[in-house]
Amino acid sequence: MTLRLYQGIAGVADTTGQLSTVHCPLSTVAGAPGLASETGDPRHKNPEEDPKLREECGVVAIHGHPDAARQAYLALYALQHRGQESAGIATADGQFLANIKGMGLVSEIFTDDVLAKLRGSMAIGHTRYSTTGDSALLNAQPIRVDSTKGLIAIAHNGNLVHLGNLRARLEREGAYFQTTSDSEIIVQLIAHSHAGTLVDAIADSLSQVEGAFSIVMMTRDRIFAARDPRGFRPLSMGRIKNPDGPDTIVFASESCAFDLLRAEFIRDVLPGELVMVTEDGVTSRQFSSGLPQSSCIFEHVYFARPDSRIFGHWVQESRDQMGRQLARESGVPADLVVPVPDSGVTAALGYAEESGIRFRLGLIRNHYVGRTFIEPEQRVRDFGVRLKLNPVHNLLAGKRVILIDDSIIRGTTCRKIVRMVRGAGAKEVHLRISCPPTISPCFYGVDTPSKRDLIAANKSIEEIRQYIEADSLAYLSLDGLLKACNGDGHIGYCTACYTGNYPTQWVDVEDILPATVSL
Ligand code: SF4
C-alpha cells in the first residue's frame, strides 16, 4: 500500500484573532496514485547502492505576490533536483502564518486543494533530501516556531558544524525542540536572543553558528534571506516586475527557479549578508565579514542545473569548460565521446568539441525509474544500474569509447557502466571524470560517505582503473577545475572533498579516517 504523510495545516485563528498553536496529528492518505511509498521507493537510502552524491535542500521565498504559495510551488518545482524526500511551503498574510509539509515530490504534495489552504502574499518553501536529523516528516521544512519574538518559519540549505553544547544550552534556557534538525537551532537562538529587535536577534544568532547555511525566514509580515559568511551554498535574489504596484521580490537556491516565475535575476545574496524585505522595501546588512569565500565547487560539477547561474558563473559554461580542459589534459584516441546521463552530458559536449571526436548518446537513461518500477528492495538491487541505463548497441559495437562522468564515489556503479558498454560490443572503454578524485567527505550539506567508503581515498588511480575494468582512467586536475569554474577570477571555492582541506575548523574526525582494509 502506498502511504502519504502530511503535516500542518496550521495557522488556525482562535476566537481572539490570535494564532493558536495547533499541533496537528499526522494524517495518512492511502492509495493515491504515483505517490512515494514509505518503504518501497528506490529513492530512499540503501547502503548497498552506490548512488550519486545528493544535495540536502533547495529553498525559495516570495514577498509581495497575491498568490505567493503558487509562486513558491513553481520555484520549488524547478528546484526538485535538490531534494526529493520531502517538501513544504509556509505562507503569511500579515496576520496568520500557515505551514504545510509532506513526504514526496513537490507536485505530489501540493495539489490545487492543498495550495488553496495557503493564503497570503508572502511564502517560503523548501525541498529536502536529508543528511542530518531523521529522514522523516518531523524534520521536513519549513520549521515553524512560536517564540517571544513572534512566529518564525525557517527553511535552510546546508549543514551547521560544531554545534557543541548549543542545543543543550538552549534547552536549559527553556527551548523546546520540535525536530532533530540542526536548522531549528538557528530559530531557537533567535527566540532566545536578548537583542532588542528581530533583525538584530537574527543577525546575532547567525553570527553564533558555524558551517553552511543559505536560509530564508518569514514572520507574519517580513521575509529574511541570509548566507553564511563563507557562502558555501548558493542563494540568489530576483524580481517579478509589477506595473501596478511594488515588485514581487523572490529568493531561490538557484536562478533556474526565476525563469519559471518570469522573474529577473537581481544578484546573489552575499556571503555574511542578511536581507530583509518588508512592505517598505528591501534592506540589507552584513552580519559577518572578513572570512574568505569558500563556495561549494561541487555545485558546478554536479548539483546545480546547467541553466542556473550560481556564484556569478553559469553552470553550463563551467561544465563545458571542464570537458574541454579534460580533453586537453588527458586526451586519448577514440571513435566516440559518450556521456553518462544526465549529469555528464555538458562536460562530454565540451570534451567532444575540444577533441574533435564525435559525441553520441550511447547510454539512454530511463527517467521513470523510481516512479513506476516500485519493487521489493532486493529485486531492485539485482537489476542494479540496468534499470536506470541501457546501452545503444549499434552505436557502441566495435568502437573505442570515451565515457564521461562527473564522479566516482564507491566505484561499484562505474564498474557496472563500464561492463555494460563493453557488453554492448565496445572495443575499448576509456573513463574520464570531470573533477578530481573525491577523497574526503563533505560536512557542509552534501551527503557523502565517510572516507573509508570513498574509493579514491583508499586506492590509487591505477588500482581504481583495474577495479572498474576500464582501459584507461583519468580525472580533471584541481587547477583545471578551478579554471573552469572561476568566471571572473574572484570566486573563492571550497574544494575539501578533493583536497581534505576544510575551510572550517571543526569536522567529524571519525568520518575522515581512511579504510583499515583495502576496499
Ligand atoms: S566538501 Fe566538497 S561537496 Fe562539500 S562544500 Fe566543499 S566542495 Fe562542496
Side-chain angles (χ1 to χ4, degrees):
M1 183 173 72
T2 304
L3 292 180
R4 160 129 320 243
L5 294 173
Y6 279 104
Q7 194 176 42
I9 298 157
V12 180
D14 65 19
T15 49
T16 61
Q18 299 298 306
L19 197 85
S20 57
T21 307
V22 180
H23 296 288
C24 293
L26 301 185
S27 61
T28 58
V29 183
L35 300 183
S37 154
E38 282 290 281
T39 55
D41 189 339
R43 286 173 300 174
H44 290 180
K45 292 176 202 174
N46 174 358
E48 292 189 31
E49 279 182 356
D50 178 20
K52 287 290 182 187
L53 298 181
R54 286 185 253 208
E55 177 73 48
E56 192 183 355
C57 305
V59 297
V60 304
I62 312 287
H63 182 280
H65 194 283
D67 193 0
R70 194 166 296 273
Q71 298 299 303
Y73 164 81
L74 290 170
L76 287 179
Y77 193 85
L79 297 180
Q80 186 73 81
H81 60 289
R82 297 182 73 90
Q84 299 92 44
E85 184 184 75
S86 65
I89 296 175
T91 55
D93 62 0
Q95 237 190 324
F96 303 125
L97 197 152
N99 189 21
I100 297 180
K101 1 184 214 189
M103 301 298 290
L105 301 179
V106 175
S107 57
E108 296 168 348
I109 299 163
F110 292 101
T111 57
D112 279 345
D113 287 356
V114 175
L115 284 173
K117 294 182 171 81
L118 290 164
R119 297 196 193 92
S121 61
M122 295 187 296
I124 63 170
H126 190 261
T127 182
R128 179 173 197 260
Y129 169 80
S130 77
T131 59
T132 61
D134 301 326
S135 61
L137 185 57
L138 181 71
N139 284 323
Q141 297 190 18
I143 296 170
R144 198 185 66 140
V145 173
D146 199 354
S147 76
T148 49
K149 308 273 186 310
L151 273 168
I152 305 169
I154 185 171
H156 169 205
N157 174 210
N159 262 17
L160 302 182
V161 297
H162 185 225
L163 292 172
N165 57 8
L166 255 186
R167 195 180 177 102
R169 194 196 85 199
L170 285 164
E171 279 172 342
R172 276 199 307 278
E173 290 171 6
Y176 169 71
F177 281 86
Q178 303 167 26
T179 72
T180 57
S181 161
D182 59 353
S183 313
E184 194 182 346
I185 287 180
I186 296 173
V187 195
Q188 296 289 1
L189 280 170
I190 296 166
H192 289 80
S193 166
H194 297 299
T197 65
L198 178 64
V199 68
D200 285 342
I202 294 174
D204 174 44
S205 307
L206 295 180
S207 61
Q208 290 180 55
V209 290
E210 182 156 31
F213 55 87
S214 281
I215 55 174
V216 289
M217 279 183 285
M218 185 174 64
T219 62
R220 291 174 209 224
D221 58 2
R222 278 178 275 183
I223 293 275
F224 298 90
R227 268 174 92 199
D228 67 75
R230 291 182 179 82
F232 278 103
R233 301 276 146 234
L235 186 61
S236 300
M237 179 163 61
R239 169 197 297 124
I240 304 171
K241 285 225 161 106
N242 180 1
D244 306 320
D247 293 342
T248 300
I249 300 296
V250 298
F251 297 90
S253 292
E254 288 181 40
S255 64
C256 65
F258 296 162
D259 299 341
L260 208 49
L261 306 182
R262 297 185 193 282
E264 68 182 40
F265 174 89
I266 301 176
R267 66 175 176 87
D268 284 342
V269 176
L270 299 173
E273 184 185 17
L274 170 62
V275 181
M276 179 171 78
V277 192
T278 67
E279 272 188 347
D280 298 328
V282 181
T283 54
S284 156
R285 66 198 277 184
Q286 285 295 130
F287 64 88
S288 172
S289 57
L291 287 175
Q293 183 177 357
S294 55
S295 295
C296 173
I297 204 160
F298 204 54
E299 293 272 359
H300 273 292
V301 173
Y302 173 64
F303 285 126
R305 272 179 36 169
D307 51 341
S308 286
R309 174 174 146 173
I310 57 166
F311 314 138
H313 201 40
W314 287 99
V315 176
Q316 188 278 336
E317 176 64 19
S318 304
R319 289 191 191 153
D320 180 71
Q321 290 300 329
M322 286 173 215
R324 289 175 186 276
Q325 183 66 20
L326 192 55
R328 289 191 283 268
E329 289 181 8
S330 57
V332 61
D335 305 307
L336 298 178
V337 173
V338 172
V340 176
D342 290 326
S343 49
V345 171
T346 313
L349 280 164
Y351 191 107
E353 275 197 31
E354 186 69 25
S355 64
I357 300 170
R358 282 182 303 159
F359 172 94
R360 286 290 181 274
L361 290 170
L363 288 167
I364 304 300
R365 183 178 157 202
N366 182 345
H367 288 268
Y368 301 96
V369 170
R371 315 300 310 126
T372 56
F373 195 91
I374 294 177
E375 285 282 319
E377 261 183 36
Q378 186 57 49
R379 291 197 40 202
V380 170
R381 208 175 298 151
D382 290 345
F383 278 101
V385 78
R386 288 190 296 127
L387 261 184
K388 298 175 195 153
L389 293 178
N390 200 36
V392 183
H393 290 250
N394 65 319
L395 277 180
L396 300 172
K399 300 291 193 319
R400 297 169 299 167
V401 174
I402 300 174
L403 265 182
I404 309 283
D405 204 352
D406 52 49
S407 51
I408 304 178
I409 305 305
R410 291 183 172 89
T412 49
T413 299
C414 258
R415 180 162 68 172
K416 286 175 189 164
I417 294 171
V418 170
R419 282 180 179 171
M420 178 185 282
V421 172
R422 217 185 282 286
K427 211 161 56 180
E428 293 172 18
V429 185
H430 304 276
L431 184 61
R432 296 291 179 270
I433 304 296
S434 60
C435 64
T438 305
I439 58 159
S440 224
C442 177
F443 299 96
Y444 311 120
V446 175
D447 186 25
T448 357
S450 63
K451 196 159 186 163
R452 58 179 64 89
D453 292 324
L454 291 170
I455 192 167
N458 300 286
K459 285 180 183 287
S460 69
I461 292 179
E462 172 55 19
E463 286 171 328
I464 300 170
R465 184 199 68 74
Q466 287 173 20
Y467 176 78
I468 61 174
E469 300 169 5
D471 292 287
S472 74
L473 167 67
Y475 292 83
L476 181 60
S477 68
L478 184 62
D479 277 355
L481 176 62
L482 285 164
K483 210 161 98 185
C485 299
N486 219 353
D488 60 3
H490 292 101
I491 311 161
Y493 280 109
C494 172
T495 56
C497 48
Y498 308 124
T499 59
N501 299 325
Y502 292 93
T504 60
Q505 208 177 344
W506 300 93
V507 294
D508 187 338
V509 174
E510 263 290 295
D511 272 355
I512 55 171
L513 294 176
T516 47
V517 290
S518 197
L519 287 168

